[in-house]
Amino acid sequence: MIEVRDLKKTYQMGDETVAALAGVSLSFPRGSYLAITGPSGSGKSTLMNILGGLDRPTSGQYLFEDEDVSHLDDDGLAHFRNQRIGFVFQSFQLLPRYSALQNVELPMVYAGIEVKERRERAAEMLAKVGLADRRHHRPTQMSGGQQQRVAIARSLANHPDLLLADEPTGALDSSTGKDVMALFEQLNSDGLTVILVTHDANVAARARRRVGFRDGLIVSDEGAKS
Amino acid sequence: MIEVRDLKKTYQMGDETVAALAGVSLSFPRGSYLAITGPSGSGKSTLMNILGGLDRPTSGQYLFEDEDVSHLDDDGLAHFRNQRIGFVFQSFQLLPRYSALQNVELPMVYAGIEVKERRERAAEMLAKVGLADRRHHRPTQMSGGQQQRVAIARSLANHPDLLLADEPTGALDSSTGKDVMALFEQLNSDGLTVILVTHDANVAARARRRVGFRDGLIVSDEGAKS
Ligand SMILES: Nc1ncnc2c1ncn2[C@@H]1O[C@H](COP(=O)(O)OP(=O)(O)OP(=O)(O)O)[C@@H](O)[C@H]1O
Ligand SMILES: Nc1ncnc2c1ncn2[C@@H]1O[C@H](COP(=O)(O)OP(=O)(O)OP(=O)(O)O)[C@@H](O)[C@H]1O
Ligand SMILES: [Mg+2]
Ligand SMILES: [Mg+2]
């Protein structure tokens, strides 16, 4: 079970306040498959960053299987992220001077996986996203959609418990997008909890539960709650 | 009239050759409205970069209203870009330490527009994309979709002849995406030539002509040719 209670995230810029999250409460069991939708600027990435331990809320609580993530210190948060979370960023965040293989290996380096195993797993993940023949190329030598797929491969490298995918098919053509969604669904069948943000109604329709955001709040919640 | 003849773009990496464009020929008159589609890695951004004077082909010709862009030197290419082309990049390419307003002003600075006029025009363009209240914020203080809209505002700042928009709605929710498309169509009615790359079938359907890519070649060309 993963639960957030009355999360707020506020940005202060001089006299101005922006409420990215205005009080979000949500719970879901392991193995869930959620799609988060909503207008631009409604708080989706902000929630994703908090769930992934990449940001802290201004106030509120985040419980991950009874562990209070809100109270972890920086080292604890880094460990939580590396061991349990796979993240596909909206802007990919690949390291431009590393090859695709090295980008996918990186989470495994931090997790202490030894070189032979991590090389094999990175190559395997790149093959799953159709990039086996590109593993020695750098992100600057790839198209937008190819970069997105490297980011997807990297997110899965450490066998995470929770996959947070922020717009994971935005740069992909329809056929490649379907392949990626099929991969996510297979992993969800195997136990991975999947939360994705998407503007694509077809992608959202594939999730078992759809949570809608507006102005930093959840305004709709449809589908299976358990 | 804009014409490209047998464009090739080849990347050499050690022993490996990647043909991003394998011989593309295309012509279209001023005022056209084209959508370019195709799988990830099929050459769409590569063509867009060449059309926008941001890259050079390995071979082939590019004529923009009888001017041979292929033979311009670097200064000539920079002038061509700044004076005639508006570009929405797939990865936005905003300057992170500049405000939205300053990002939109930048093409006008290069074009020598004086400060009062360019400030007014930048504010006007940001209002057109629904970001009037965010003009003093930096890209790092914005969501993905908000950043995309700043990029769109910037592309229109210099009243270009040709708008090249690479995945201009990928980060936008459906409603905001429709507003942007309506803006492009209004500008096209007023004479702007619009070429956009999109993975979204709904967006492609709004264009008057649809050109399909695969493996660095044009494989389909439907709709109005004039
Ligand atoms: N700088 C580069 N060096 C080497 N190869 C490159 C470079 N830029 C692009 N390529 C390759 O050229 C091919 C075409 O790339 P391009 O970016 O034009 O594709 P695209 O159709 O825009 O794809 P997407 O839909 O994923 O954005 C791809 O195989 C890509 O990996
Ligand atoms: N670092 C920041 N500083 C200030 N404001 C921010 C910051 N990050 C996000 N915001 C603001 O918080 C709000 C929510 O942003 P968020 O990125 O969560 O939206 P989103 O729903 O992911 O939007 P999109 O669909 O465009 O990606 C927006 O108004 C955004 O401008
Ligand atoms: Mg976002
Ligand atoms: Mg592209």
Side-chain angles (χ1 to χ4, degrees):
Chain A
M1 167 74 73
I2 295 158
E3 182 174 9
V4 297
R5 301 174 180 162
D6 196 29
L7 284 185
K8 293 181 180 160
K9 180 74 187 180
T10 317
Y11 291 100
Q12 201 73 23
M13 287 166 285
D15 288 348
E16 251 190 286
T17 300
V18 173
L21 293 178
V24 167
S25 298
L26 180 66
S27 61
F28 48 97
R30 292 192 65 147
S32 288
Y33 183 0
L34 263 85
I36 297 181
T37 61
S40 180
S42 58
K44 304 177 302 290
S45 294
T46 301
L47 175 65
M48 293 291 259
N49 287 336
I50 291 168
L51 287 177
L54 295 157
D55 196 9
R56 292 179 190 276
T58 309
S59 64
Q61 251 190 335
Y62 173 18
L63 301 171
F64 190 101
E65 296 187 341
D66 297 325
E67 178 174 17
D68 188 346
V69 178
S70 328
H71 286 104
L72 292 175
D73 64 11
D74 287 352
D75 285 346
L77 212 51
H79 188 258
F80 166 74
R81 277 192 313 264
N82 186 249
Q83 294 291 323
R84 316 198 73 162
I85 309 292
F87 211 115
V88 186
F89 294 93
Q90 201 170 2
S91 55
F92 315 153
Q93 310 279 32
L94 299 172
L95 299 184
R97 292 191 290 158
Y98 279 21
S99 68
L101 200 70
Q102 289 166 326
N103 268 285
V104 178
E105 280 186 65
L106 196 59
M108 293 181 276
V109 172
Y110 289 119
I113 309 295
E114 60 91 20
V115 64
K116 183 174 185 290
E117 182 184 345
R118 70 177 194 250
R119 289 271 163 90
E120 285 172 1
R121 193 143 25 132
E124 178 195 339
M125 298 316 304
L126 284 168
K128 279 184 187 288
V129 295
L131 287 174
D133 59 335
R134 290 305 195 80
R135 59 187 181 278
H136 298 303
H137 294 183
R138 296 190 206 132
T140 50
Q141 295 164 323
M142 292 189 177
S143 77
Q146 288 163 344
Q147 291 178 44
Q148 190 163 50
R149 287 183 275 153
V150 174
I152 288 163
R154 180 184 62 184
S155 75
L156 299 171
N158 268 350
H159 297 299
D161 297 312
L162 172 62
L163 174 64
L164 302 171
D166 200 343
E167 303 279 1
T169 59
L172 304 181
D173 60 274
S174 176
S175 174
T176 310
K178 281 181 184 143
D179 290 346
V180 165
M181 294 310 302
L183 172 60
F184 288 171
E185 285 152 19
Q186 175 62 57
L187 292 168
N188 176 252
S189 297
D190 293 344
L192 175 66
T193 306
V194 176
I195 304 180
L196 51 86
V197 170
T198 186
H199 287 303
D200 185 330
N202 294 320
V203 170
R206 296 169 75 124
R208 290 195 296 279
R209 182 176 175 189
R210 283 159 300 283
V211 174
F213 269 66
R214 179 173 294 277
D215 298 326
L217 290 168
I218 289 175
V219 297
S220 67
D221 190 344
E222 305 165 354
K225 306 275 183 313
S226 57
Chain B
M1 167 72 77
I2 294 158
E3 182 174 9
V4 296
R5 300 175 182 162
D6 197 30
L7 284 184
K8 292 180 183 166
K9 180 75 186 181
T10 318
Y11 291 100
Q12 201 72 24
M13 286 166 286
D15 287 349
E16 252 190 289
T17 301
V18 173
L21 293 179
V24 167
S25 298
L26 181 65
S27 61
F28 47 96
R30 291 194 68 151
S32 289
Y33 183 0
L34 263 84
I36 297 181
T37 62
S40 178
S42 59
K44 305 178 299 294
S45 293
T46 300
L47 176 65
M48 294 290 259
N49 287 336
I50 290 167
L51 288 177
L54 295 156
D55 195 10
R56 294 179 189 275
T58 307
S59 64
Q61 252 189 333
Y62 173 20
L63 301 171
F64 189 101
E65 297 188 345
D66 296 324
E67 179 174 16
D68 188 347
V69 179
S70 327
H71 286 105
L72 291 175
D73 64 11
D74 287 350
D75 286 344
L77 213 52
H79 188 260
F80 165 74
R81 275 193 314 264
N82 186 251
Q83 294 291 323
R84 315 198 74 162
I85 310 291
F87 211 113
V88 186
F89 294 92
Q90 200 171 1
S91 54
F92 316 154
Q93 310 279 33
L94 299 173
L95 300 184
R97 292 189 291 162
Y98 278 22
S99 68
L101 199 70
Q102 288 165 328
N103 268 285
V104 178
E105 280 186 65
L106 195 59
M108 293 181 274
V109 172
Y110 288 121
I113 309 296
E114 59 92 19
V115 64
K116 183 173 179 307
E117 182 185 343
R118 72 177 191 246
R119 289 270 162 93
E120 285 172 1
R121 192 140 29 121
E124 178 195 339
M125 298 315 304
L126 284 168
K128 278 183 188 283
V129 296
L131 287 174
D133 59 338
R134 289 307 192 76
R135 58 187 182 274
H136 298 302
H137 293 183
R138 297 190 207 135
T140 50
Q141 298 166 320
M142 292 189 177
S143 75
Q146 288 162 343
Q147 291 177 45
Q148 190 162 49
R149 287 183 271 155
V150 174
I152 290 163
R154 179 185 61 185
S155 73
L156 300 171
N158 268 349
H159 298 299
D161 296 312
L162 172 62
L163 175 64
L164 302 174
D166 201 343
E167 303 280 1
T169 59
L172 304 181
D173 59 276
S174 176
S175 173
T176 309
K178 283 180 182 144
D179 290 346
V180 164
M181 293 311 301
L183 172 60
F184 287 172
E185 285 153 18
Q186 176 64 55
L187 293 168
N188 176 252
S189 298
D190 293 341
L192 176 65
T193 306
V194 177
I195 304 181
L196 51 85
V197 170
T198 186
H199 288 304
D200 186 330
N202 294 321
V203 170
R206 296 171 73 123
R208 290 194 298 280
R209 182 175 173 190
R210 286 160 299 283
V211 173
F213 269 66
R214 177 173 295 275
D215 297 328
L217 290 167
I218 290 176
V219 297
S220 66
D221 190 344
E222 307 166 348
K225 308 275 185 324
S226 57

